[in-house]
Amino acid sequence: MNNISRSLLALLCAGVFGSQAHAVDLIAIGQLPGTASDLSGLTGNLESGVAANLLGGLGSGLAWAGGNTFLALPDRGPNANPWNSALDDTTTYIPRFHTLSLVLTPATGGTLPYTLTATVTGTTLLYSTQPLVYGAAVPAQNGAGRYYFSGRSDNFDGGQNSAYPFNGRLDPEAIRVSRTGKTVFVSDEYGPYVYQFDRATGARGRVFTLPANLAIAQQYAQGASEISNNTSSGRVTNKGMEGLAITPDGKTLFGFMQSPLAQDGGDGGRANRIIAIDVASGAVKQYAYDNYISDTAKAYNSSEILALNSHEFLVLERDGKGLGDDSSATVKRLYKVDLAGAQDVSNLSGEAALLAKAPTKSLFLDIRAKLNAAGVTDANIPAKLEGIAFGADIVVNGVTKHTLFVANDNDFLPTSPKGKTNPNQWFVFTFTDADLGGSEFVNQTIAN
């Protein structure tokens, strides 16, 4: 095949001529009730009256750990139940991740070819072996050499900027498993931070030093106050490092900010940043990403990033509409972006400067359209699809296909404001190499 033929084939696969050529299929939907309890062993209620062991919000982050095993990450915990507006209703919920078994089996009925059975097999609480700074409430579970992180927004040192690693507050949003399988990497919105934790115990190990331009100078327990007092630089409150990818070789992490930094246009702007971190050295580079979608004429916040190979990624862009807030979903999409040859924008600032360096992106999967085609209405598509992970390959009708799992964050709300059931859900898609428009897919190998 000559170069012209290859180029034409790539364009056709990418969907440049006419509609998309993708054959990505939805094969299964699984769920766990929002009223279930986790395996943390915690008892009693949080300040808001919500059970300390409520199994909710599982989809803020999702990572494959080999076979049928996945790690699911809640965020800072329940804060939708009013109890203290000065703290944005955050509580002493201890950040944690859950180990799940997500098993696909051929369906014996229904409209989808597979059934997904979800089981929680473990819950791991996250802590520091060194003392942390807390506000008015210290986790009761603390002990010598065990200082638990907390979702409460007042757990910080006011004399430091938001990157101070001994702040007790942690709002984890993404998780990935190291190549050895023994540790996990977690990114957060409060700092933003990227921490490495022991997978078995939950003890924090390494702290990655992130660029100073991501942090804010003035920290507040109330989000509105933090936003109004940090207008010139740093991450937007509650929109820090929302996504995290790890390359298949385990050597590089890619953190994804949820919205542009204040100096780049802030929330609602187009010029977002992807932060590349060399795991061995800690060296950091920054890349621009344009989160504008032309057919809706709007920029959307970025929820997750997942590595196809060492330089190409799937990114999740979405609105906040759908099941959970009693509205209708409009935008839930995965785009493909290639950072090969992209320029480091660490020393650049401002929307125009960043957009000039942003690589192009192409639509890989319209999640909403696929769910609609399977009979899931816009009102029943979860508002917060946030976690994505590849899983093990499966054989469908004699063809080997890759699997992609998409998870929702139900905000610890078992029912919507209008009383609709709001479970934790996983949507499983299959795809082949031919669906990637010429990109190479390399799944991560994790040691057992």
Side-chain angles (χ1 to χ4, degrees), residues 210-214 255 257 261 263-264 272-277 284-289 339 342-348 354 357:
L210 299 182
N213 65 338
L214 306 183
M257 302 302 289
L261 304 178
Q263 62 267 38
D264 300 328
N272 210 349
R273 291 180 188 246
I274 296 173
I275 317 301
I277 307 168
V284 173
K285 293 181 180 179
Q286 301 183 49
Y287 299 101
Y289 179 81
L339 297 182
Q343 182 175 324
D344 185 349
V345 298
S346 297
N347 296 322
L348 298 180
L354 263 63
K357 306 300 181 183

Side-chain angles (χ1 to χ4, degrees), residues 77-119:
N79 69 322
N81 298 80
W83 78 276
N84 188 340
S85 61
L87 301 176
D88 288 338
D89 300 316
T90 57
T91 67
T92 51
Y93 177 87
I94 297 175
R96 65 203 69 179
F97 65 82
H98 305 292
T99 302
L100 303 178
S101 172
L102 299 180
V103 179
L104 288 167
T105 54
T108 57
T111 59
L112 296 177
Y114 282 81
T115 297
L116 179 68
T117 302
T119 307

Side-chain angles (χ1 to χ4, degrees), residues 79-433:
N79 69 322
N81 298 80
W83 78 276
N84 188 340
S85 61
L87 301 176
D88 288 338
D89 300 316
T90 57
T91 67
T92 51
Y93 177 87
I94 297 175
R96 65 203 69 179
F97 65 82
H98 305 292
T99 302
L100 303 178
S101 172
L102 299 180
V103 179
L104 288 167
T105 54
T108 57
T111 59
L112 296 177
Y114 282 81
T115 297
L116 179 68
T117 302
T119 307
V120 181
T121 62
T123 299
T124 305
L125 303 178
L126 303 180
Y127 68 92
S128 167
T129 58
Q130 298 174 279
L132 300 173
V133 177
Y134 301 104
V138 177
Q141 295 78 13
N142 281 6
R146 194 174 288 254
Y147 305 92
Y148 287 98
F149 290 96
S150 170
R152 270 184 64 132
S153 59
D154 61 341
N155 292 339
F156 61 85
D157 185 337
Q160 306 284 342
N161 70 20
S162 67
Y164 184 60
F166 295 105
N167 283 339
R169 67 180 188 175
L170 186 68
D171 186 2
E173 291 291 349
I175 185 170
R176 297 297 172 198
V177 181
S178 69
R179 193 172 175 86
T180 67
K182 294 181 179 179
T183 62
V184 298
F185 303 98
V186 173
S187 67
D188 141 284
E189 290 195 317
Y190 273 136
Y193 306 111
V194 175
Y195 293 150
Q196 190 169 8
F197 291 93
D198 184 274
R199 181 177 164 188
T201 67
R204 183 177 68 177
R206 189 171 177 188
V207 175
F208 290 90
T209 301
L210 299 182
N213 65 338
L214 306 183
I216 57 169
Q218 303 297 324
Q219 301 176 87
Y220 291 84
Q222 191 176 58
S225 297
E226 194 168 88
I227 290 173
S228 63
N229 285 280
N230 293 278
T231 58
S232 60
S233 65
R235 54 94 175 140
V236 174
T237 295
N238 297 328
K239 291 179 169 59
M241 194 167 284
E242 182 79 8
L244 188 68
I246 187 169
T247 52
D249 60 11
K251 294 181 178 180
T252 312
L253 296 168
F254 285 82
F256 204 10
M257 302 302 289
Q258 185 173 0
S259 82
L261 304 178
Q263 62 267 38
D264 300 328
D267 195 24
R270 292 178 55 169
N272 210 349
R273 291 180 188 246
I274 296 173
I275 317 301
I277 307 168
D278 181 84
V279 173
S281 68
V284 173
K285 293 181 180 179
Q286 301 183 49
Y287 299 101
Y289 179 81
D290 186 353
N291 57 21
Y292 180 78
I293 296 179
S294 60
D295 62 284
T296 63
K298 185 177 178 181
Y300 291 85
N301 287 331
S302 308
S303 289
E304 188 57 286
I305 183 168
L306 182 63
L308 284 168
N309 49 55
S310 64
H311 58 93
E312 291 180 291
F313 303 86
L314 298 182
V315 297
L316 174 59
E317 297 186 48
R318 62 165 178 84
D319 58 16
K321 303 298 183 182
L323 178 62
D325 74 347
D326 295 312
S327 60
S328 295
T330 301
V331 174
K332 317 287 183 188
R333 301 180 185 178
L334 287 173
Y335 285 88
K336 186 179 70 170
V337 64
D338 188 354
L339 297 182
Q343 182 175 324
D344 185 349
V345 298
S346 297
N347 296 322
L348 298 180
S349 183
E351 182 173 276
L354 263 63
L355 290 181
K357 306 300 181 183
T360 58
K361 63 184 181 184
S362 59
L363 181 64
F364 171 71
L365 174 62
D366 187 331
I367 299 172
R368 174 201 174 206
K370 288 291 182 180
L371 295 182
N372 286 168
V376 183
T377 65
D378 289 338
N380 287 312
I381 296 175
K384 291 188 174 182
L385 295 179
E386 293 191 358
I388 54 175
F390 297 122
D393 288 352
I394 63 173
V395 177
V396 181
N397 297 325
V399 178
T400 299
K401 295 192 174 186
H402 311 304
T403 58
L404 172 68
F405 291 70
V406 179
N408 76 305
D409 172 11
N410 77 344
D411 273 346
F412 293 86
L413 292 172
T415 58
S416 73
K418 292 184 179 180
K420 290 185 67 174
T421 301
N422 187 28
N424 300 291
Q425 297 191 71
W426 296 270
F427 304 92
V428 186
F429 300 87
T430 57
F431 65 97
T432 66
D433 291 341

Side-chain angles (χ1 to χ4, degrees), residues 43-65:
T43 59
N45 293 335
L46 301 167
E47 299 93 315
S48 60
V50 176
N53 65 349
L54 178 64
L55 181 69
L58 291 186
S60 283
L62 185 69
W64 183 51

